Amino acid sequence: MHDQSSIPYDVVIAGAGPVGLFLACELQLAGLQVLVLEQSQDSHSALKQLPFGLRGLSISTLEAFHRRGLLEEIVAAQQLTSDAIKRAAHWMQQTRRPAGHFAGLQFYQDNIDVAKWSWRLPTSADANLAVDMATLESVLAARARSMGVEIRRGFAVNAVVASSEDVTVQAAGETFRAR
């Protein structure tokens, strides 16, 4: 049997991408001690920056960020790069901007009257926010750290072994344990 008092973490998360970082924040809010391990040493990968790192956030993602007070931070950080985003996303320069599709049939922004929607997020974010991964991860990592989440870079997870008492994670030659 392992001594539970010697286990410093409740949860170990492999990956400091948007999902891992948001999950870490949620678990920390629940009172758990969280460690995030990320294999990349550098959070500023060229693939996370424009144009390759451009991502559109879904409505449910925007709602989740809004509920946690993150949406305005993401919008403010994204606005610093909004001109670069418009250059990277050719569809944002078109006179008729696509808004999505239904059953494969394209529909456009100018055909949507958002004033008639009975419910909208009380925020400056548009219903279709585009943000680069570097900006998104920067905001989420800052929030996670401010909440007490430990983030370690340069730790590629090699193995995960679960027992009835704990989980052992091996990464970059070190061993981490969680409940």
Side-chain angles (χ1 to χ4, degrees), residues 69-176:
L70 286 161
L71 187 55
E72 291 303 323
E73 287 180 57
I74 293 167
V75 169
Q78 176 268 347
Q79 286 174 343
L80 297 174
T81 59
S82 64
D83 287 340
I85 288 174
K86 287 177 184 171
R87 285 191 303 275
H90 66 87
W91 53 267
M92 293 180 85
Q93 298 168 9
Q94 296 175 1
T95 54
R96 288 195 82 198
R97 288 182 47 196
H101 69 86
F102 177 77
L105 302 172
Q106 187 81 40
F107 61 91
Y108 296 89
Q109 291 280 356
D110 60 350
N111 287 340
I112 301 171
D113 183 4
V114 295
K116 292 184 178 182
W117 292 358
S118 60
W119 186 84
R120 289 191 40 99
L121 290 173
T123 177
S124 62
D126 196 358
N128 55 0
L129 180 65
V131 65
D132 64 294
M133 292 288 284
T135 299
L136 183 58
E137 287 180 11
S138 174
V139 169
L140 290 170
R143 174 63 64 91
R145 282 189 190 99
S146 74
M147 296 173 72
V149 172
E150 185 179 344
I151 301 171
R152 293 196 189 186
R153 296 194 149 278
F155 286 84
V157 173
N158 301 2
V160 177
V161 179
S163 73
S164 60
E165 289 87 29
D166 65 7
V167 173
T168 303
V169 178
Q170 294 175 351
E174 293 192 38
T175 300
F176 303 93

